[in-house]
Amino acid sequence: MYRLIFILLSIIVFSACHSDGQKDDFSFSEIKIARYDRLQYEATVQNSFFSLQRMNTEFSQETRLLVEDVLDLGPVSMLDMNERLCEYFSDSILVRLMEDVGEKFKDVDNLEQNLTHGFKKLKKEIHELPVPKIYTQISALNQSIVVGDGILGISLDKYMGNDYPLYKKYYYVNQRRSMSPEYIVPDCFTFYLQGQYPFLWLEGHRSLMDILLYRGKIAWTVEVVLGGDGSGKIALGYSNEEVKWCEQYEKGLWEEIKQSHYMGTTDPMVIRSYISSNTRLLFNGEKTPPFLGIWLGMKVIDRYMKKHPKMSMKSLLECTDYSEMIKELN
């Protein structure tokens, strides 16, 4: 009798859990960001041995990624690596930078809320997509976002605001525009999706059009996940004026690409000019917005998805053959 009651209760509990899972359709409740940047400050500036130990034990993967890939200090297993790391961050400029980061980002509640909302929406579209462990770090002005196996790191020192004095010393105006807090969440999803669905650098998959459509589908997905309207305001940080300019000249921009025989080009200089923030194209005697090619690719994707409503976000991201999209563009 007791065994029967136990079995019935187990079935009820399992059914309830299964029902909740189906209703929400995601395997996490919320994103909690680990403040690894504070450990860095405590370990290096405040000489906290306990914090240094935590970096090497609780955050061993994050520390390896920082030391070996971001800072390029050598293998994390080197006997004197702790001393090297402390010496590296003892630089007065980096000390000031870490202190400014701590002051500006006293909490990351807003980031956690926006990341949670975005990942829940993404998981509803692609159930099996893993949610990474997210943490903050100080990269000494290296990579803005780093992606490892199951982890995603946000370099807060790259998002201090485009008017941050130190940035004015090392970066051009068009580079600084994306170094503000509002770019953190879109950048997280952009680099995360690029890690999950990498570009195939194979013969026939590396022309300008292939790259623009690949980057365009990533940008389009970021816009959708974060509640944008597909204009580029969220994924690319465009202003209303920039969106209006792009929409006004879109037809002419495509015509110029075709006439210049750029659609099939593999010239890295040409490709960089269309997808980078560091270089600005000229059109009708005016400087174009940055990432112009990504915006153009995103608009192609946007129209294609509206024309093919049965195509899922998962199918789009897994797509590596853009020939049908290019045919429709022509």
Side-chain angles (χ1 to χ4, degrees):
M1 181 66 180
Y2 288 109
R3 183 180 180 186
L4 178 60
I5 293 173
F6 176 79
I7 292 173
L8 288 173
L9 286 173
S10 298
I11 292 172
I12 293 170
V13 171
F14 175 80
S15 299
C17 292
H18 184 70
S19 176
D20 289 343
Q22 288 291 331
K23 180 181 177 182
D24 292 329
D25 204 20
F26 49 79
S27 57
F28 69 102
S29 57
E30 60 180 339
I31 297 289
K32 295 301 293 183
I33 298 176
R35 293 303 301 264
Y36 179 78
D37 63 294
R38 289 176 176 168
L39 278 184
Q40 286 181 263
Y41 180 78
E42 293 166 2
T44 57
V45 178
Q46 297 181 342
N47 295 314
S48 170
F49 180 72
F50 175 69
S51 296
L52 195 58
Q53 277 187 317
R54 288 189 64 199
M55 286 176 63
N56 291 316
T57 53
E58 295 178 41
F59 297 90
S60 58
Q61 188 180 358
E62 292 84 349
T63 300
R64 180 178 293 105
L65 192 60
L66 173 70
V67 169
E68 297 181 356
D69 298 337
V70 178
L71 303 179
D72 195 23
L73 294 180
V76 73
S77 58
M78 293 179 65
L79 295 177
D80 64 341
M81 183 50 69
N82 289 343
E83 289 75 16
R84 287 190 179 202
L85 194 62
C86 290
E87 183 180 357
Y88 185 92
F89 281 103
S90 68
D91 180 87
S92 59
I93 295 177
L94 288 182
V95 171
R96 176 62 185 273
L97 180 60
M98 285 192 284
E99 291 173 345
D100 289 346
V101 166
E103 181 64 28
K104 188 173 185 67
F105 294 97
K106 291 181 179 179
D107 68 69
V108 290
D109 295 347
N110 190 53
L111 293 179
E112 291 175 337
Q113 292 171 9
N114 290 331
L115 286 166
T116 297
H117 174 78
F119 270 107
K120 285 183 177 180
K121 193 166 184 179
L122 194 57
K123 288 281 284 182
K124 286 181 180 179
E125 293 287 340
I126 311 172
H127 311 314
E128 68 275 16
L129 208 60
V131 177
K133 174 186 176 183
I134 301 179
Y135 64 99
T136 52
Q137 66 171 4
I138 305 295
S139 70
L141 300 182
N142 284 290
Q143 290 105 308
S144 301
I145 304 292
V146 294
V147 180
D149 185 15
I151 61 174
L152 187 150
I154 303 167
S155 299
L156 293 179
D157 53 316
K158 292 294 292 292
Y159 295 100
M160 292 293 289
N162 56 21
D163 58 347
Y164 184 57
L166 188 61
Y167 292 169
K168 294 180 180 179
K169 187 175 181 180
Y170 296 106
Y171 298 96
Y172 296 114
V173 174
N174 56 318
Q175 292 175 303
R176 298 202 306 267
R177 62 175 280 158
S178 59
M179 300 176 72
S180 295
E182 62 267 24
Y183 286 86
I184 292 177
V185 174
D187 283 356
C188 282
F189 281 101
T190 296
F191 285 98
Y192 169 76
L193 288 170
Q194 288 177 0
Q196 293 293 316
Y197 303 95
F199 183 74
L200 300 179
W201 289 96
L202 302 174
E203 193 66 34
H205 291 277
R206 56 178 182 173
S207 69
L208 175 66
M209 280 305 301
D210 287 320
I211 294 173
L212 296 194
L213 291 175
Y214 167 76
R215 294 293 300 272
K217 75 178 181 182
I218 297 293
W220 180 86
T221 303
V222 172
E223 284 268 325
V224 171
V225 165
L226 296 180
D229 56 5
S231 65
K233 292 178 184 177
I234 292 181
L236 304 178
Y238 277 8
S239 64
N240 290 330
E241 292 73 22
E242 288 173 324
V243 172
K244 184 178 179 181
W245 187 94
C246 288
E247 290 176 342
Q248 179 182 351
Y249 293 110
E250 181 184 2
K251 186 176 180 180
L253 289 164
W254 278 121
E255 197 60 38
E256 183 177 73
I257 289 175
K258 293 175 184 177
Q259 290 180 0
S260 301
H261 305 289
Y262 282 162
M263 293 186 75
T265 185
T266 59
D267 186 335
M269 294 294 289
V270 173
I271 292 172
R272 192 176 299 115
S273 68
Y274 277 94
I275 66 173
S276 174
S277 66
N278 298 336
T279 55
R280 304 291 287 274
L281 297 166
L282 286 175
F283 184 79
N284 283 353
E286 300 179 67
K287 283 188 175 181
T288 68
F291 313 115
L292 177 65
I294 301 176
W295 184 87
L296 289 170
M298 184 177 67
K299 298 308 290 185
V300 173
I301 298 296
D302 186 49
R303 294 190 183 102
Y304 185 85
M305 293 300 285
K306 288 176 180 175
K307 191 174 180 179
H308 301 82
K310 291 185 178 180
M311 187 171 191
S312 66
M313 183 183 290
K314 182 177 185 290
S315 297
L316 173 67
L317 289 169
E318 291 175 347
C319 175
T320 57
D321 182 0
Y322 308 109
S323 56
E324 289 301 316
M325 299 176 188
I326 295 173
K327 284 179 184 177
E328 293 192 11
L329 175 63
N330 293 331

